[in-house]
Amino acid sequence: MKIAFIGLGNMGGGMAANLVRAGHQVQAFDLNEAALARAEAAGCTRALSAADAVVGAVAVVTMLPAGQHVAAVYRDAIFPHAAPSTLLIDCSTIDVATARSNIEAALAAGLEAVDAPVSGGIAAAEAGTLTFMVGGEDRAFERAEAVLNAMGKAVIHAGAAGAGQAAKICNNMLLGASMVATCETMAMAQKLGLDPQRFYDIASVSSGQNWALTSYCPLPGVGPVSPADRDYQGGFAASLMLKDLRLAMEAAELAGAAVPMGSRARELYEEFVAADQQNRDFSAIIQTL
Ligand code: NAD
């Protein structure tokens, strides 16, 4: 299948390479020359512009930083150049309102579209083991699934347009709040004189058990290997967690949802990032607690 791929950064680079491995012909574009060269080395065809990438493609995947980038690429490059019925798959993490309006605009332009944000970081993008949460109509989902299977281990239909983004930010709000709760608990356990490993052994089989504790323990040397064991390098950057918490707060306000824990987690990550910690893994917030 001829697929256009726009946005070949940390995530998109590995994803586009997996489409090539699955036998697709990938027409790739990024504003960044180094990203474009990496994609070419992985077997993608270099496009001269986003519009050029779209010509002749059956599907267009975008993996861009934020809502305004996706809306601009859709408006300026994709809508004027995509053939009728082309399927647009936006895998970026963006706000729910922009995701919905992009899909509405795509349908009005005679195209099909889904929002399909991912769970899993750079390693999962490279390994082809991402989880995709997809919003859109049944037919568009079925078409998208055929493309996304080459880049992920799970492709789940979350609901109508925007539902993928809604699922993504709800999941990451839960992750942000549970990471903060896990960090403050581990710090308090130590202050109460508990051996961290002994407390981990207890909590991991008790009712406090959660993913941040047992799959991503924020203390070095405790639990499975995690970014804490690499001085909080790699993993999921605090700046990306903050981006998702901001999106979650925006969505909560629009929906009239009460989110006191998510809101506090957002404040704590705002402070953490403002203290020049944006590139460290989000579990490093334990050092402030
Ligand atoms: P990134 O900054 O590494 O990549 C984005 C790429 O988009 C860059 O190479 C940039 O040059 C390119 N770009 C920007 N505007 C463009 C345009 N108009 N035309 C063409 N290319 C353009 O970001 P990333 O880490 O790959 O993340 C991409 C998306 O995935 C974000 O929405 C992010 O929130 C989400 N995400 C990231 C992770 C992660 O761990 N990095 C995990 C899950 C989801």
Side-chain angles (χ1 to χ4, degrees):
M1 193 188 294
K2 199 179 264 193
I3 300 174
F5 204 113
I6 302 168
L8 306 156
N10 289 324
M11 297 291 290
M15 293 165 69
N18 282 321
L19 288 177
V20 172
R21 268 181 218 118
H24 296 297
Q25 190 185 331
V26 180
Q27 305 182 152
F29 180 71
D30 195 293
L31 293 174
N32 181 294
E33 171 53 34
L36 203 45
R38 270 197 307 277
E40 203 175 14
C44 298
T45 306
R46 174 191 284 255
L48 299 173
S49 63
D52 182 37
V54 167
V55 173
V58 178
V60 180
V61 181
T62 40
M63 193 52 166
L64 296 163
Q68 74 265 25
H69 305 100
V70 181
V73 166
Y74 272 33
R75 186 190 59 232
D76 301 337
I78 299 181
F79 295 162
H81 298 279
S85 302
T86 301
L87 173 68
L88 312 186
I89 305 174
D90 180 34
C91 296
S92 329
T93 302
I94 70 172
D95 60 287
V96 176
T98 304
R100 285 186 182 142
S101 68
N102 283 345
I103 292 177
E104 273 166 29
L107 295 179
L111 309 171
E112 290 194 83
V114 294
D115 52 303
V118 307
S119 177
I122 301 163
E126 278 168 9
T129 55
L130 294 165
T131 292
F132 291 92
M133 327 172 189
V134 186
E137 292 169 0
D138 289 348
R139 207 181 94 90
F141 170 74
E142 280 160 26
R143 286 182 69 194
E145 199 178 15
V147 175
L148 297 174
N149 274 333
M151 303 184 283
K153 67 172 190 308
V155 182
I156 299 165
H157 195 179
Q165 298 295 350
K168 163 84 187 173
I169 54 164
C170 284
N171 179 72
N172 279 26
M173 182 176 82
L174 180 57
L175 173 61
S178 60
M179 178 55 81
V180 170
T182 300
C183 287
E184 69 184 25
T185 300
M186 292 305 273
M188 176 167 151
Q190 284 175 288
K191 288 201 167 128
L192 291 173
L194 287 165
D195 172 67
Q197 180 64 50
R198 196 69 62 86
F199 175 66
Y200 174 90
D201 293 342
I202 294 167
S204 62
V205 292
S206 300
S207 46
Q209 189 277 334
N210 72 90
W211 187 88
L213 177 71
T214 51
S215 294
Y216 212 96
C217 187
L219 265 189
V222 181
V225 173
S226 70
D229 298 302
R230 301 188 294 269
D231 192 26
Y232 303 98
Q233 300 305 310
F236 186 49
S239 59
L240 289 177
M241 174 48 84
L242 177 58
K243 173 191 169 180
D244 292 353
L245 287 169
R246 284 176 177 157
L247 289 174
M249 294 307 102
E250 245 176 75
E253 200 173 326
L254 282 174
V259 287
M261 302 294 281
S263 162
R264 186 68 187 121
R266 197 275 304 266
E267 283 167 13
L268 292 168
Y269 277 103
E270 293 278 8
E271 287 164 22
F272 190 58
V273 166
D276 205 22
Q277 301 293 309
Q278 64 278 4
N279 295 325
R280 303 188 79 200
D281 182 74
F282 78 121
S283 63
I285 202 163
I286 193 170
Q287 294 180 329
T288 67
L289 293 163

